[in-house]
Structure formats: structure tokens, C-alpha cells
Amino acid sequence: MTYTGEVEVGGPADVQTAGDLLITKIAVGEMNNNAYLLRCVLTGEQALIDAANEYERLLELIGTDGLARVVTTHRHGDHWQALATIVERTGAETVAGERDADELPVPVDLRVQTGARVRVGSCELEVIEIAGHTPGSIALAYDDPDGIVHLFTGDSLFPGGVGKTWSPEDFTTLVDEVETKIFGAYPDDTRVYPGHGKDTTLGVERPHLAEWRERGW
């Protein structure tokens, strides 16, 4: 079946191949969080982005091949409800942004900043710090050598706007960082995988940047 990126809590995962990386998207928890299991098709190594909730479903998704690492995109609790259990059951290395790491419920093995690389077997994801939603939010970019860029944005960028902020200053920071570090760095066909809801592309969202600034959210 064709990948759509449309998943529901309690429903099946959606799967696509991006070069040497297999991306599996699943929705979990009361806040309809997305979790992404990444698997290198050459080595079988796996990594999870946001152990958000429903650890039983995530462990079933991970299966018997183990989990090398789990990346948490930011400090908010709806993105790490299953983190402690997943780490305990799999022994996975923990990864998070430097400025959010101390707020997580488990020790963070790898505290990352912009330009760091997170490996999934033979594949690499580049870390991009995006402040505003939280001080230490990160996005992760996988540049498929034979295809497009796949960008996991946590709660920094969604279809229709940037993530929630709690002050005008934080909003300005977030929209500035998203415009510079995401829209200014990646082409229109870049696929965006947010922390909640449907996927989008930078080309769909780019024309609305000025509108987002004007409305203030």
C-alpha cells in the first residue's frame, strides 16, 4: 500500500522506504503523538524517535531485532511517557538536545547540538537545534542520497504553522529559527514528519511563512 502518513491512535502503523532507511510511523497516547521507528535496511539496526506513550505497542513495533538508540525531540512529557520503559527493556542509548536533556526522566547518554550526527546503521541523521517551543528542541534530517530529505521536526513545525509558544519572544525565536534553519536550508520537496498529526512538505508550507508571522502563532 502507498504511504500516506495518516495514522490514528489504536490503528496500524504506516511504513515507507527512503533509500536505505525504513520509516515506520505510529500514533500513540491521549495526545495523538507520533513515534517513528527507523531501520537501516542494510544492517537491521533500529532507532526510535520519541518514545511518546504506549510502550507495549512500541515494543511490539521494535520486535526482536533490538533498539540501538532512542531520540527525544524535546522535554515535554507527552513525548517521553514510554521512554524509561523502552530504555529498560531494550538497553537503547538515549539521545536528546543539550538544553532539554536534564528535563527527561532518564539519563541522556548523548547530548546533541546542531551538526551532530545520529547513526542508524549505515544511515546518518543530522541534528538541528530549534529553540522556541522549548529551549532544547531538536529536529533530525535524513538526506537520502538517492532521493529527498526526510525531516523529523518534533513540535517545532507542523502542517499550517510552527509549534506552540508561551510568549511573543518565544514565538519570534521559533519562527526565526524555523525560517532560517529549515526553510533556508532545505528544498521544497523535503518531507516533514511532525510530533503530532499528518506529514507535510516544505513546499506546501513555505508560502505561508509571512502569514504565520503576522498572526503570531
Side-chain angles (χ1 to χ4, degrees):
M1 295 181 65
T2 302
Y3 176 85
T4 67
E6 298 182 18
V7 292
E8 297 180 354
V9 175
D14 205 358
V15 184
Q16 67 170 318
T17 300
D20 293 335
L21 197 67
L22 189 69
I23 301 172
T24 301
K25 178 181 181 180
I26 190 170
V28 293
E30 295 180 354
M31 296 186 69
N32 194 30
N33 286 76
N34 294 326
Y36 299 93
L37 182 68
L38 311 181
R39 180 183 178 91
C40 172
V41 299
L42 299 180
T43 67
E45 185 171 88
Q46 299 188 125
L48 181 67
I49 298 177
D50 284 345
N53 214 318
E54 298 187 53
Y55 70 84
E56 301 97 333
R57 294 190 69 206
L58 295 180
L59 288 170
E60 182 180 358
L61 197 68
I62 293 164
T64 59
D65 289 337
L67 187 69
R69 55 197 52 88
V70 54
V71 184
T72 304
T73 58
H74 63 287
R75 66 175 68 182
H76 288 158
D78 59 307
H79 290 261
W80 51 253
Q81 291 300 303
L83 180 59
T85 302
I86 293 295
V87 171
E88 179 184 0
R89 298 285 184 89
T90 66
E93 176 185 56
T94 53
V95 184
E98 174 68 44
R99 290 180 290 174
D100 272 10
D102 290 339
E103 305 299 322
L104 300 186
V106 299
V108 174
D109 301 314
L110 183 60
R111 304 162 73 106
V112 294
Q113 297 177 317
T114 294
R117 302 280 177 162
V118 177
R119 295 198 64 82
V120 187
S122 65
C123 304
E124 283 190 338
L125 286 79
E126 182 175 0
V127 174
I128 309 134
E129 294 173 285
I130 305 288
H133 182 68
T134 69
S137 290
I138 58 173
L140 299 117
Y142 171 63
D143 189 353
D144 177 4
D146 300 315
I148 64 173
V149 177
H150 300 264
L151 189 63
F152 302 89
T153 56
D155 284 1
S156 293
L157 177 63
F158 294 97
V162 295
K164 183 177 180 180
T165 54
W166 288 265
S167 73
E169 294 78 16
D170 285 344
F171 170 75
T172 298
T173 296
L174 179 56
V175 75
D176 284 349
E177 297 234 320
V178 164
E179 183 168 12
T180 301
K181 296 181 179 181
I182 294 180
F183 287 96
Y186 298 102
D188 282 352
D189 60 0
T190 298
R191 185 118 190 179
V192 174
Y193 304 85
H196 307 262
K198 298 179 181 180
D199 304 345
T200 187
T201 66
L202 293 188
V204 168
E205 307 303 328
R206 193 184 300 275
H208 303 289
L209 277 164
E211 171 193 335
W212 301 349
R213 284 189 180 276
E214 183 176 355
R215 75 188 185 191
W217 57 273

